[in-house]
Amino acid sequence: MSANQSSNRSAFILLTSLFFLWGFVHNLDPILIPHLKKAFSLSTLEAALVDSSIFIAYFFMALPAGMLIRRYGYKTTILMGLLLFALGSFLFVPAASNQLYIFFLGALFVIGSGLALLETAANPYAALLGDPATSSRRLNFAQAFNGLAVTIAPIIGAGVILTKDIPAEELNRMTPVARQVALAAEASSVQIPYSIIGAVIVLVAFIFLQINMPDIREKGKKNLGWKELIAAWQVPHLRNAVVAQFFYVGAQVCVNSLFILYAAKSANMDKSTAATYLGVGYGVSFMLGRFIGTFFMQWIAPAKLLTLYAFLNIILCCMAVYGQGMAALYTVFAISFFMSIMFPTIFSLGIKGLGNQTEIGSSWIVMAIVGGGILPLLFGLITDLTGNIQNGYFVPMTCFMVVAWFGWKGHIIHSTHKS
């Protein structure tokens, strides 16, 4: 193995830790949503702002992230993202002490800003760090460690955050003052876990500071300007990928973050039990889907597999609307399995053939992650208006229609944009 190959492999191995870390914090959101919903007496729409605070940050930070990559490189951008990630985690301490929901949302926005830098840098870096012909497989493999976090985070989160969860019947028997004190204690249970996350992120940043990461930017490129931003947007398959990613991330967040509330309605589960099912059911399905999908891509073109999986999820979402009991949850587990390959596949197909527009292409696609902050609000609104969270699944059903279109036709590279 050459020195260059060894350096690439070492960088790729360390890069996979980032996919796990941002997957872990994202998949604490399904625990935070019902937890804060109860602690602050929120509607489903208001509770969905947990996701919105993180994903809206992607919209604002993705293009600056591309500019940072262009000027300072992937490694510096990753380090800045890690530091913002750590800062947002530490901000949970004063947020819980002040007992104001808006403070939690602010801390989540800072976390989201750090994650936007990380995803804008790490996704294309993983795709470009090797043979272009296997970029989709390589990115799916790295994203599989994100899937591992989907499995672990809800179980750990339930164990440390929901430990002070007080049954509604007991709260109703309390005096108003006692109830306020009890709910404040519930809200404060996030301080220790998020402080630990912040400390781990600082340690990871220190490790990244010490390692050598190959600079795979094309040399001699100018800083990004509006002309370059607009020029990249005019590339049809990139523009289509941005649209598809907006709807895909919206679908994933709807299904994942509102799973515990969905399980409570469809299968009459308590939050702790639902959190366990979120990890061992939804999470394991998602992780296996990533590894199995990566394996299938040796023989099936990524775009074809994406189209097939999206069509299957359209059918499954319809079943999730009308299903009851454990059958409804098994349906969601299947949705998770078939969602698993979508983000990295859309991403790699979107930046394929962009050449010196890769950084800005990555920024555009990461901006689309804002779908995770917008579409769950629609899911929550439908739930509040109809009184049934299962009706919200019409939102991800529509999203998967867009993904199916991208896999079928939208990913095709026009001849004028082939590398």
Side-chain angles (χ1 to χ4, degrees):
M1 182 185 299
S2 68
N4 185 56
Q5 288 176 318
S6 178
S7 179
N8 285 3
R9 178 165 294 184
S10 298
F12 183 78
I13 290 171
L14 285 167
L15 203 64
T16 58
S17 70
L18 300 181
F19 289 83
F20 176 83
L21 289 170
W22 76 58
F24 189 91
V25 76
H26 272 311
N27 287 282
L28 288 179
D29 290 353
I31 306 298
L32 277 180
I33 286 175
H35 184 66
L36 296 180
K37 182 177 188 292
K38 180 183 176 184
F40 292 101
S41 302
L42 306 171
S43 68
T44 304
L45 175 61
E46 290 169 330
L49 289 171
V50 165
D51 283 318
S52 297
S53 297
I54 290 181
F55 291 110
I56 286 174
Y58 280 81
F59 180 81
F60 289 105
M61 293 302 294
L63 287 178
M67 295 175 184
L68 284 171
I69 294 170
R70 179 68 68 90
R71 185 164 186 175
Y72 298 108
Y74 287 96
K75 180 176 178 177
T76 299
T77 305
I78 286 172
L79 287 170
M80 293 180 68
L82 286 169
L83 293 177
L84 278 173
F85 186 175
L87 174 61
S89 299
F90 289 131
L91 286 175
F92 265 68
V93 176
S97 298
N98 285 280
Q99 296 297 317
L100 289 173
Y101 184 49
I102 189 68
F103 281 18
F104 281 101
L105 298 182
L108 288 165
F109 182 86
V110 176
I111 288 177
S113 297
L115 298 185
L117 297 186
L118 291 178
E119 294 210 42
T120 306
N123 280 294
Y125 196 79
L128 295 171
L129 201 64
D131 183 359
T134 58
S135 61
S136 289
R137 284 170 52 194
R138 189 163 50 253
L139 188 51
N140 268 281
F141 178 78
Q143 286 275 0
F145 291 88
N146 181 281
L148 178 62
V150 177
T151 303
I152 296 174
I155 298 172
I156 295 177
V160 297
I161 293 175
L162 298 181
T163 52
K164 296 183 180 180
D165 194 54
I166 302 170
E169 298 79 11
E170 187 176 337
L171 283 172
N172 292 334
R173 292 194 295 268
M174 294 180 179
T175 64
V177 174
R179 186 182 304 115
Q180 184 177 359
V181 171
L183 291 176
E186 280 195 19
S188 67
S189 66
V190 301
Q191 288 178 312
I192 292 176
Y194 274 87
S195 294
I196 294 172
I197 290 172
V200 170
I201 299 304
V202 170
L203 176 61
V204 171
F206 178 77
I207 294 172
F208 265 90
L209 186 63
Q210 307 304 312
I211 68 167
N212 176 48
M213 293 182 66
D215 189 352
I216 56 177
R217 294 174 295 163
E218 292 190 21
K219 306 301 180 182
K221 291 190 293 186
K222 299 178 180 178
N223 291 334
L224 291 175
W226 285 109
K227 288 184 178 180
E228 287 187 289
L229 296 177
I230 295 170
W233 179 253
Q234 291 173 341
V235 178
H237 75 279
L238 170 61
R239 186 169 61 246
N240 295 341
V242 172
V243 174
Q245 202 72 287
F246 175 91
F247 283 97
Y248 164 69
V249 176
Q252 181 185 341
V253 175
C254 286
V255 175
N256 179 31
S257 291
L258 297 167
F259 175 87
I260 291 177
L261 298 179
Y262 177 84
K265 168 63 177 66
S266 63
N268 196 30
M269 279 188 181
D270 62 81
K271 287 189 286 188
S272 294
T273 303
T276 300
Y277 272 95
L278 178 61
V280 300
Y282 177 99
V284 169
S285 295
F286 193 85
M287 179 177 63
L288 289 176
R290 282 263 166 93
F291 283 113
I292 292 172
T294 303
F295 177 75
F296 282 159
M297 285 181 189
Q298 296 179 78
W299 301 285
I300 304 174
K304 291 182 179 179
L305 197 63
L306 179 68
T307 305
L308 173 63
Y309 279 16
F311 274 118
L312 291 172
N313 267 355
I314 293 168
I315 298 170
L316 289 166
C317 282
C318 184
M319 295 170 62
V321 172
Y322 301 106
Q324 293 296 324
M326 290 305 300
L329 295 193
Y330 293 144
T331 298
V332 176
F333 298 160
I335 292 173
S336 172
F337 180 93
F338 293 117
M339 280 198 305
S340 60
I341 68 160
M342 292 184 180
F343 183 93
T345 303
I346 293 169
F347 200 105
S348 59
L349 291 173
I351 64 172
K352 191 172 184 178
L354 291 185
N356 62 9
Q357 293 178 310
T358 298
E359 292 93 346
I360 191 58
S362 175
S363 294
W364 278 120
I365 297 175
V366 171
M367 278 184 72
I369 293 176
V370 73
I374 296 173
L375 295 175
L377 297 179
L378 179 58
F379 190 110
L381 180 61
I382 292 172
T383 297
D384 291 337
L385 290 176
T386 64
N388 185 352
I389 194 169
Q390 291 182 253
N391 291 330
Y393 267 78
F394 285 112
V395 175
M397 180 192 301
T398 304
C399 294
F400 290 126
M401 292 178 185
V402 178
V403 175
W405 162 79
F406 176 76
W408 181 37
K409 284 190 173 181
H411 74 283
I412 297 172
I413 301 176
H414 290 217
S415 58
T416 54
H417 295 288
K418 289 181 179 177
S419 59

